[in-house]
Amino acid sequence: MKRYDGRVPYAEIMNEAHDKANLWGLNHAQILDMAKMAFTSAREGSKTVKRQMNHCCLWAEYGKRRNADGSRRWSPWQFVKACFDSGVDYEVIGVQLYYPQQDLFEIDRMMDRFAVFN
């Protein structure tokens, strides 16, 4: 972020870090540690950038299966809550609605769920 300090108002720092896209097989503590380091490093590079975490699969359809270590998979909402509770500092939550099977009312209800994070 230092390279773009003052020139980029928003930056996606973390994309789909909930269990749907856990390509490295990290456990939840490791993912939270990585999130904290990534958002802290972005802030050190730029004092003004609005840092975004981005999520897809908001209804966590993938959660039927457990992680390789047997733990329950995080939904995007659970991941954001874990970040919030762990003091991961960010400004923006991105929500991607790829081909939602839900109607506009369910989408509106999902947005209300995320509103608790301000």
Side-chain angles (χ1 to χ4, degrees):
M1 288 313 312
K2 186 175 183 176
R3 172 183 234 176
Y4 302 103
D5 188 25
R7 297 187 295 152
V8 174
Y10 293 87
E12 181 179 318
I13 305 304
M14 186 164 267
N15 185 51
E16 301 171 3
H18 52 85
D19 289 320
K20 165 75 169 79
N22 185 356
L23 301 176
W24 299 298
L26 302 175
N27 65 38
H28 288 171
Q30 291 169 320
I31 294 171
L32 283 174
D33 191 42
M34 181 178 62
K36 194 172 278 193
M37 286 189 292
F39 283 99
T40 298
S41 294
R43 176 55 67 228
E44 289 170 359
S46 173
K47 300 297 181 208
T48 60
V49 69
K50 302 286 190 241
R51 300 160 299 162
Q52 177 179 323
M53 62 169 64
N54 199 28
H55 302 286
C56 70
C57 307
L58 299 177
W59 284 267
E61 302 87 347
Y62 57 86
K64 297 174 202 169
R65 294 182 320 276
R66 292 189 173 267
N67 288 319
D69 66 0
S71 65
R72 247 187 113 167
R73 290 186 169 195
W74 271 332
S75 68
W77 190 92
Q78 288 168 318
F79 173 72
V80 173
K81 181 168 183 349
C83 286
F84 188 84
D85 292 345
S86 297
V88 175
D89 190 27
Y90 58 91
E91 289 76 40
V92 180
I93 300 169
V95 291
Q96 301 172 47
L97 297 170
Y98 297 136
Y99 318 113
Q101 302 301 317
Q102 290 74 22
D103 62 22
L104 287 175
F105 295 107
E106 282 300 317
I107 293 169
D108 187 55
R109 288 180 62 194
M110 178 60 70
M111 299 307 292
D112 286 344
R113 289 180 193 116
F114 279 90
V116 300
F117 304 115
N118 200 19

